[in-house]
Amino acid sequence: MLIDIVSVAPELLDSPFAHSIMKRAHDKGLLQVRTHNLRNWAINKHGQVDDYQYGGGAGMVMLCEPLANMIEHLQKEHTYDEIIYMTPDGPTFNQSMANQLSLKNNLLIICGHYKGIDQRIRDHYITCEISIGDYVLSGGELAAAVVVDAIGRIIPGVLNDETSALTDSFQDNLLAPPVYTRPADFKGWKVPDILLQGDPKKVEAWRLEQSMERTKTRRPDLLKKWD
Ligand code: 6GU
């Protein structure tokens, strides 16, 4: 998969994909993330990519021209399955969206800043809008990093143990059960017996029960999705 990200602050995206599972996805050749600096498409030598909004009001708006030129330039090299705009007024990102996007080949992600991008870019180029939650960030970059991480780790072949992503919280609308590792007794705090007895059927039943219980107490809204 190729993910191109357009930003006025691409440095914000240098580190998130250089570690752990994201690095593995890259090293295995399964995910390439490229960042593109929108300033290279500024309308003048001052690096201008935004301007005051029509109708007045505080805050700058990102100009059509740099974005349109950048997008059309990238489209000459690649066909994108989705052109995604990161914006707090988009639909809230969830595991089901991550699953769907992980099956695509090429994605282009546009990060907004200030008051956002000119509506005409949204109307004519953007095919998908994503928010990561009901709070406002100063730019789309950190949100894009969240989305790319969630997508990247479930690209087929990225995780060693293929079942590992299937048992994540949310994959079945249930939170993951508690997990334990050695020692079996730490300061007198004991690991539940059932996990030590070596009966895989009982362990599976216990985990499901714990998942249900956790979901019921912490996220009852998720259980409604079973109805
Ligand atoms: Cl995608 N962008 C910004 N700027 N703020 C956000 C967001 C995105 N999602 C939640 N808050």
Side-chain angles (χ1 to χ4, degrees), residues 6 15 82 111 129 150 153 159 164 177 179 215:
V6 173
S15 158
E82 300 288 351
C111 299
E129 299 188 330
R153 63 189 294 284
L159 293 182
S164 168
V179 293
T215 310

Side-chain angles (χ1 to χ4, degrees), residues 5 40 65 104 150 178 191 218:
I5 309 179
N40 296 335
E65 198 181 325
K104 310 281 187 183
V191 170
R218 299 177 183 204

Side-chain angles (χ1 to χ4, degrees), residues 85-89 112 130-141 143-144:
Y85 174 47
M86 302 307 306
T87 176
D89 60 16
I130 299 179
S131 161
I132 63 162
D134 293 344
Y135 41 81
V136 176
L137 304 170
S138 43
E141 286 77 11

Side-chain angles (χ1 to χ4, degrees), residues 15-87:
S15 158
F17 313 120
H19 304 279
S20 174
I21 295 172
M22 289 297 100
K23 184 170 185 300
R24 188 147 88 218
H26 177 265
D27 293 347
K28 285 187 172 178
L30 296 170
L31 174 63
Q32 187 190 7
V33 180
R34 306 189 306 181
T35 57
H36 305 273
N37 195 338
L38 189 66
R39 297 257 181 233
N40 296 335
W41 297 84
I43 56 167
N44 56 34
K45 63 179 194 298
H46 309 295
Q48 187 179 351
V49 293
D50 59 359
D51 210 332
Y52 298 100
Q53 55 179 314
Y54 280 121
M60 308 292 272
V61 174
M62 289 170 69
L63 292 159
C64 285
E65 198 181 325
L67 283 166
N69 288 341
M70 169 104 258
I71 293 168
E72 288 181 22
H73 168 79
L74 290 169
Q75 280 177 323
K76 285 192 187 117
E77 292 170 43
H78 299 282
T79 312
Y80 295 99
D81 299 300
E82 300 288 351
I83 301 182
I84 300 168
Y85 174 47
M86 302 307 306
T87 176

